[in-house]
């Protein structure tokens, strides 16, 4: 009798849970992941991080779900890129417009430190709560770079670096002791463009005058009571108090569920037919490298492998049920050759079906190279893009070696056999070869930009020269077509080919367990593109790039300090 009652109670609880009001929850304490894991290590490391595409799709579905009453988001200290924050803000604003509650909670927006971008995200919510001990680090935007030339000179390290052109400043850390005028000009415009976006968003979300927001930025950071008085937050409360209030307003029996879990449960109920026409989604995240996607064995940043991305594009191109391709690019660039490989596959795919690029936080240098051939490029206003340029060279360590008593001798055949050695400077003839290499890459890059973006070569060069643009500024200059996020790109792709707004989206390449186990039949086989753990992208120049201090990901790369979080 007791067993029967227990079974009945369990069934009743499950029934109630299926019909109870829902409060969706998003915990950003650990940040977000951009796309599906590239390899088993990435899958393990991202287990606790929600996936951006799941969150966006879940919130879109929830707008039409009468069971869903509210959204509560815990904003943590793990930095999220500005463009990703703008995607989340857009999804929250649309969710809020459907008449449902939106509440943001943070223990702190920077513990008496910087927290401008996390607060920018919170400002999109109907109500913002802060733990009583927390702070609001609304302090503005800063890009900072250190210059090592003088310090390295004292050690006896010199640098021979060529760049195309004056705005390609990644090597300035090692070759300058201050910002050049082009360097300062570029960074100043990025900071101002981003500030304009932050001020406009906060002013709209908090119903403040933009001039007042700028005044508040100059007065930050704020302790909790000051933030409440200034109208930056709606209340000071602990997590339990905030969550209890939201659940009470949603209904006595309201059920709390993560947005990602909600999305996956809903997606399982509406599994598309395997032969249904749909959209392919290809994720290209991380530094661009030849070979397969993956990451370093110690958890370093992931890589966009040209073999993996090319195989994904080929598979999507050949699938008759794929009517358009959305290529999501979140990359600072890397290898020129690998970027060119992916570019070629985008060109070939576009000849068969539409290709829409959706840019993430950064799609610059090589990240722009792989994007530029698409039918449409979409970016967020805060995306960092452009950086159409190239640099290369080497450090000269001969003086340092002499100081510490290291002698170097060479035995070589070939006048330039040792030209990449760091023990001696380039000869004039060798320097000519370096410059020919830089000119060849830059000319190819600019020529392809001009062709893809329907610009004169002169105009393409004017916009290039290594300069980094925000998405908003890039759109004004024709390097980007539209402002928007991943969901906007998917919607545009469906419209382009006449599919319904809920037409299925399939990630490529997606391999079932058997395909993962069997060896590939050829380089055309999807299984040939499996991700792997890998170390570098410069090939035989990996040691040289490390000694130079340049990004280990290749000559078309944007420095990490450009990130705005």
């Amino acid at each position: 009798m007791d067993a029967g009652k227990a079974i009945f109670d369990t069934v009743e609880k499950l029934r109630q849970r299926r019909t109870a009001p829902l409060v969706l929850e998003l915990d950003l304490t650990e940040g977000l992941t951009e796309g599906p894991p590239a390899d088993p290590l990435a899958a393990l490391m991202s287990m606790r991080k929600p996936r951006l595409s799941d969150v966006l799709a879940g919130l879109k579905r929830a707008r039409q779900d009468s069971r869903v009453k509210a959204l509560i988001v815990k904003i943590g200290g793990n930095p999220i890129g500005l463009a990703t924050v703008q995607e989340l803000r857009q999804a929250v604003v649309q969710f809020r417009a459907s008449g449902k509650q939106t509440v943001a909670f943070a223990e702190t927006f920077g513990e008496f430190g910087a927290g401008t971008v996390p607060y920018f995200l919170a400002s999109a919510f109907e109500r913002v709560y802060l733990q009583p001990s927390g702070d609001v680090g609304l302090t503005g935007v800063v890009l900072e770079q250190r210059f090592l030339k003088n310090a390295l000179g004292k050690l006896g390290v010199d640098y021979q670096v060529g760049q195309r052109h004056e705005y390609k400043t990644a090597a300035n850390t090692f070759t300058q002791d201050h910002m050049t005028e082009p360097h300062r000009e570029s960074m100043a415009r990025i900071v101002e463009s981003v500030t304009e976006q932050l001020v406009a968003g906060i002013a709209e979300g908090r119903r403040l005058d933009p001039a007042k927001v700028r005044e508040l930025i100059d007065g930050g950071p704020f302790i909790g009571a000051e933030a409440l008085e200034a109208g930056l937050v709606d209340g000071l409360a602990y997590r339990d108090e905030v969550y209890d209030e939201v659940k009470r307003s949603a209904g006595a029996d309201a059920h709390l569920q993560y947005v990602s879990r909600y999305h996956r449960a809903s997606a399982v109920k509406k599994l598309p037919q395997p032969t249904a026409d749909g959209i392919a989604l290809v994720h290209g995240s991380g530094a661009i490298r030849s070979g397969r996607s993956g990451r370093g064995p110690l958890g370093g940043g992931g890589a966009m492998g040209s073999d993996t991305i090319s195989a994904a594009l080929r598979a999507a191109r050949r699938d008759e049920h794929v009517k358009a391709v959305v290529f999501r690019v979140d990359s600072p660039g890397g290898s020129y050759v690998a970027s060119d490989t992916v570019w070629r596959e985008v060109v070939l795919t576009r000849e068969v079906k539409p290709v829409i690029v959706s840019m993430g936080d950064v799609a610059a240098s090589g990240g722009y190279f792989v994007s530029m051939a698409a039918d449409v490029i979409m970016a967020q206003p805060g995306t960092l893009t452009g950086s159409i340029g190239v640099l290369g060279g080497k450090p000269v360590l001969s003086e340092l070696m002499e100081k510490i008593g290291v002698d170097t001798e060479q035995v070589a055949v070939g006048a330039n056999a040792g030209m990449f050695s760091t023990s001696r400077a380039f000869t004039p003839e060798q320097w000519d070869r370096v410059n020919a290499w830089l000119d060849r890459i830059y000319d190819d890059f600019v020529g392809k930009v001009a062709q893809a973006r329907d610009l004169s070569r002169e105009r393409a060069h004017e916009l290039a020269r290594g300069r980094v643009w925000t998405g908003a500024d890039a759109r004004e200059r024709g390097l980007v077509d539209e402002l928007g996020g991943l969901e906007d790109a998917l919607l545009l792709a469906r419209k382009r080919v006449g599919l319904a707004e809920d037409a299925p989206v399939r990630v490529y390449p997606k391999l079932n367990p058997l395909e993962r186990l069997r060896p590939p039949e050829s380089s055309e086989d999807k299984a040939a593109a499996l991700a792997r753990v890998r170390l570098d992208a410069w090939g035989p120049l990996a040691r040289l790039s490390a000694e130079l201090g340049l990004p280990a990901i290749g000559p078309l790369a944007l420095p990490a300090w450009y990130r705005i979080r």
Side-chain angles (χ1 to χ4, degrees):
M1 195 71 177
D2 290 341
K5 184 178 183 302
I7 293 173
F8 176 81
D9 289 344
T10 300
V11 171
E12 180 62 18
K13 286 180 181 179
L14 290 174
R15 187 192 67 78
Q16 291 176 354
R17 176 169 290 191
R18 284 197 302 270
T19 59
L22 279 177
V23 174
L24 296 185
E25 179 184 13
L26 176 59
D27 188 345
L28 297 177
T29 303
E30 298 297 324
L32 284 167
T33 58
E34 171 61 35
D39 56 83
L41 180 61
L44 183 64
M45 296 181 66
S46 63
M47 283 180 62
R48 291 188 172 273
K49 292 184 180 181
R51 191 181 303 170
L52 176 62
S53 56
D54 289 348
V55 172
L56 298 177
L59 291 179
K60 180 181 178 182
R61 186 185 299 273
R63 300 201 305 259
Q64 310 300 325
D65 189 342
S66 60
R67 283 187 65 204
V68 176
K69 304 300 181 184
L71 168 68
I72 184 166
V73 176
K74 181 185 178 187
I75 300 175
N78 201 316
I80 301 174
L82 176 59
T84 300
V85 164
Q86 288 174 327
E87 293 219 33
L88 289 173
R89 285 185 100 256
Q90 181 179 343
V92 169
V93 168
Q94 291 171 340
F95 181 90
R96 180 176 173 180
S98 69
K100 303 174 191 292
Q101 283 191 79
T102 57
V103 175
F105 167 74
E107 294 166 354
T108 185
F109 296 103
E111 194 163 358
F112 205 72
T116 300
V117 173
Y119 179 76
F120 173 62
L121 171 58
S123 68
F125 290 75
E126 181 182 357
R127 298 202 304 281
V128 181
Y129 289 98
L130 177 69
Q131 188 167 294
S133 54
D135 309 297
V136 175
L138 184 63
T139 56
V141 182
V142 61
L143 292 177
E144 181 178 87
Q145 183 176 3
R146 290 180 173 83
F147 297 92
L148 307 178
K149 178 183 178 180
N150 292 334
L152 294 170
K154 292 178 181 179
L155 296 174
V157 178
D158 189 22
Y159 278 80
Q160 288 185 299
V161 179
Q163 59 195 44
R164 300 293 184 274
H165 280 274
E166 69 270 29
Y167 294 102
K168 194 70 174 179
T169 57
N172 285 11
T173 293
F174 311 102
T175 62
Q176 304 289 331
D177 58 7
H178 65 283
M179 285 188 189
T180 62
E181 284 307 310
H183 191 169
R184 183 175 296 279
E185 176 194 349
S186 175
M187 291 183 69
R189 178 54 204 159
I190 290 171
V191 168
E192 183 54 35
S193 177
V194 168
T195 300
E196 291 166 359
Q197 297 166 37
L198 297 177
V199 168
I202 293 171
E204 181 180 7
R206 299 303 299 171
R207 297 181 177 85
L208 297 170
D209 185 84
K212 177 62 176 178
V213 175
R214 292 221 178 218
E215 182 183 320
L216 289 169
I217 287 174
D218 288 336
F222 302 91
I223 59 177
E226 294 170 337
L228 180 62
E229 183 179 356
L232 294 173
V233 300
D234 298 292
L236 304 178
Y238 288 96
R239 179 194 179 281
D240 60 295
E241 296 172 314
V242 175
Y243 276 61
D244 286 348
E245 178 186 322
V246 174
K247 286 189 283 187
R248 277 196 306 272
S249 64
D253 55 345
H255 175 58
L256 193 66
Q257 187 174 44
Y258 282 126
V259 176
S260 295
R261 291 288 296 270
Y262 167 80
H263 165 66
R264 290 169 190 156
S266 301
V268 167
K269 294 175 184 176
K270 297 185 177 182
L271 282 175
Q273 294 294 324
T275 57
D277 290 342
I279 305 298
L281 176 58
V282 177
H283 281 274
S285 300
I288 302 172
R289 301 173 173 177
S290 296
R292 290 176 281 171
S293 298
R295 63 175 50 232
L298 299 180
M304 183 199 309
S306 57
D307 284 356
T308 299
I309 302 303
S310 296
L313 291 170
R314 282 195 295 269
R317 187 164 72 237
R318 292 169 180 167
D319 190 333
E320 63 180 3
H321 301 296
V322 168
K323 301 305 178 182
V325 177
V326 171
F327 184 18
R328 175 71 170 184
V329 178
D330 188 28
S331 171
S335 163
Y336 162 64
V337 172
S339 299
D340 195 40
T341 299
V342 176
W343 170 86
R344 175 63 177 173
E345 293 297 337
V346 172
V347 170
L348 293 174
T349 304
R350 183 181 174 182
E351 292 175 354
V352 178
K353 54 193 67 173
V355 179
I356 313 296
V357 159
S358 169
M359 291 180 167
D361 289 322
V362 58
S365 202
Y368 190 80
F369 199 113
V370 302
S371 304
M372 60 188 173
D375 291 278
V376 178
I377 298 176
M378 301 188 75
Q380 288 290 351
T383 297
L384 295 181
T385 188
S387 192
I388 301 163
V390 61
L391 58 83
K394 69 175 182 179
V396 180
L397 308 180
S398 52
E399 185 180 340
L400 172 63
M401 295 297 101
E402 183 180 344
K403 284 183 177 181
I404 61 177
V406 175
D407 298 315
T408 303
E409 295 186 8
Q410 286 186 350
V411 177
V413 176
N416 296 328
M419 71 177 287
F420 295 113
S421 168
T422 58
S423 63
R424 61 201 66 199
F426 290 126
T427 67
E429 294 77 16
Q430 290 168 349
W431 188 243
D432 285 344
R433 298 312 304 151
V434 172
N435 280 295
W437 179 71
L438 294 172
D439 288 337
R440 188 265 305 226
I441 294 175
Y442 184 76
D443 288 347
D444 183 51
F445 201 164
V446 171
K448 286 173 176 171
V449 169
Q451 181 181 19
R453 306 306 302 163
D454 194 23
L455 301 169
S456 69
R457 192 177 185 88
E458 292 73 21
R459 177 57 176 163
H461 169 64
E462 183 182 341
L463 296 172
R465 296 184 291 164
R467 182 159 183 170
V468 181
W469 304 97
T470 62
D473 287 350
R475 181 175 180 270
E476 289 183 4
R477 289 157 178 81
L479 295 177
V480 165
D481 295 297
E482 297 185 26
L483 297 180
L486 179 58
E487 284 295 324
D488 297 309
L490 292 169
L491 180 61
L492 176 60
R494 292 178 175 115
K495 286 183 177 178
R496 278 279 177 120
V497 293
L499 293 178
E501 289 190 10
D502 60 350
V505 176
R506 300 186 179 92
V507 176
Y508 281 72
K510 190 169 186 178
L511 305 176
N512 62 45
L514 289 179
E515 288 176 315
R516 289 182 175 275
L517 290 174
R518 67 169 177 80
E521 185 173 335
S522 72
S523 62
E524 297 283 315
D525 192 334
K526 286 191 298 182
L530 277 173
R532 66 188 178 100
V533 174
R534 56 169 304 149
L535 295 174
D536 62 74
W538 284 81
L541 300 181
R543 182 180 62 83
L544 172 63
S545 70
E547 289 180 317
L548 179 59
L550 294 175
I553 49 181
L556 299 183
L558 187 71
W561 45 262
Y562 264 104
R563 297 275 186 163
I564 297 171
R565 291 171 170 168

